[in-house]
Amino acid sequence: MKLITAVIKPFKLDEVKAALETFGVKGMTVSEASGYGRQKGHTEVYRGAEYKVDLVPKLRVEVLVDDDAADDVIDVIVKAAQTGKIGDGKVWAVPVETVIRVRTGETGAEAL
């Protein structure tokens, strides 16, 4: 199994969620995140004063999938989250050794 993690722009969540549901992903975890990459934040003007926003708001989407579906799920996320502009985010996958559904005690692929 793989844990696929994507850091995306917040307004792309609905598109990513719909694309994953269409692909057949049954669940995901979404949490708020903030950070910066190449864009190094941006500046804004508030009440006439300019200030720098160092950490840009993002969403972190996490999905557990079987190994054979990981590459396809990554492609689905990238296509749905892409705007073509700087700050679109990142997607990565890491191996998962054990998964247990707390309610039933199911393990492995049955726990997905």
Side-chain angles (χ1 to χ4, degrees):
M1 276 178 281
K2 301 260 187 199
L3 173 63
I4 298 173
T5 304
V7 177
I8 63 170
K9 292 183 175 185
F11 69 88
K12 293 300 261 179
L13 177 62
D14 289 337
E15 291 176 49
V16 170
K17 184 178 162 190
L20 288 171
E21 287 173 355
T22 300
F23 184 78
V25 172
K26 293 183 174 84
M28 69 178 70
T29 301
V30 178
S31 50
E32 292 182 7
S34 59
Y36 68 90
R38 291 183 180 165
Q39 81 271 19
K40 302 281 191 227
H42 61 278
T43 59
E44 291 186 7
V45 177
Y46 179 71
R47 294 190 176 185
E50 187 175 295
Y51 65 97
K52 184 171 176 142
V53 178
D54 291 331
L55 300 176
V56 180
K58 302 284 185 178
L59 290 180
R60 182 179 175 124
V61 178
E62 295 174 307
V63 180
L64 271 173
V65 297
D66 284 325
D67 288 334
D68 56 344
D71 289 336
D72 293 332
V73 170
I74 290 171
D75 289 340
V76 165
I77 293 171
V78 169
K79 287 177 183 166
Q82 194 172 51
T83 68
K85 297 186 175 139
I86 195 164
D88 275 352
K90 297 271 189 288
V91 181
W92 64 90
V94 294
V96 173
E97 293 183 27
T98 306
V99 176
I100 301 170
R101 185 184 309 254
V102 175
R103 179 178 53 89
T104 63
E106 295 169 305
T107 60
E110 293 82 30
L112 294 179

